[in-house]
Amino acid sequence: MNDERPSILFVCVHNAGRSQMAAGFARELGGERVQVLSAGSEPADRINPVAVEAMAEVGIDITGTQPRVLAVDDVRASDVVITMGCGDACPVFPGKRYEDWELTDPAGRPLEQVRPIRDEIRGRVEALLEGLRG
């Protein structure tokens, strides 16, 4: 991207749960310090309503987001690319920082099973943001 803030791209298959929750936490906790993108290799039609509910419980509204397809330019523009179960669908560019977060897919799971996934994502995002502080 075109400014000095580090940019983070969160990618999962459907861009409806894990990556949306991670992006929500990064926007909330990182504020103006970071740029945040999220995308999916095979985006769903809509955000997982249980993920929306789980995030609302911690005061983060992700209802205004929409699953979107991963574009090569998203990866090119990002400093850090976090993948979550999308395998080789994410293009690799030299000089980028890549991390693969092994997280349970919240799709089709009830709220009580999504909460621990949400909490794990929050912890990983907090550690990521702390590591970006220069």
Side-chain angles (χ1 to χ4, degrees), residues 26-45:
R27 287 184 185 105
E28 181 72 20
L29 302 172
E32 293 298 316
R33 294 189 304 112
V34 295
Q35 297 176 77
V36 179
L37 296 169
S38 72
S41 53
E42 298 173 25
D45 295 334

Side-chain angles (χ1 to χ4, degrees), residues 5-54:
R5 298 177 298 159
S7 56
I8 307 166
L9 170 62
F10 295 99
V11 183
C12 67
V13 176
H14 301 297
N15 190 222
R18 295 168 290 188
S19 58
Q20 292 287 354
M21 289 190 287
F25 278 125
R27 287 184 185 105
E28 181 72 20
L29 302 172
E32 293 298 316
R33 294 189 304 112
V34 295
Q35 297 176 77
V36 179
L37 296 169
S38 72
S41 53
E42 298 173 25
D45 295 334
R46 63 188 178 108
I47 301 291
N48 178 342
V50 180
V52 170
E53 187 178 356

Side-chain angles (χ1 to χ4, degrees), residues 34-96:
V34 295
Q35 297 176 77
V36 179
L37 296 169
S38 72
S41 53
E42 298 173 25
D45 295 334
R46 63 188 178 108
I47 301 291
N48 178 342
V50 180
V52 170
E53 187 178 356
M55 293 299 284
E57 287 184 342
V58 295
I60 299 175
D61 181 4
I62 60 171
T63 57
T65 59
Q66 194 63 22
R68 55 187 284 278
V69 70
L70 175 65
V72 171
D73 286 344
D74 292 338
V75 179
R76 188 177 287 124
S78 298
D79 298 305
V80 181
V81 179
I82 306 295
T83 58
M84 305 171 200
C86 59
D88 296 331
C90 191
V92 176
F93 291 96
K96 303 283 180 197

Side-chain angles (χ1 to χ4, degrees), residues 108-127:
R109 296 181 184 276
L111 182 59
E112 51 275 359
Q113 291 179 13
V114 174
R115 286 180 182 127
I117 299 167
R118 173 203 63 203
D119 296 343
E120 182 176 354
I121 290 170
R122 180 185 188 120
R124 288 178 184 237
V125 168
E126 287 172 341

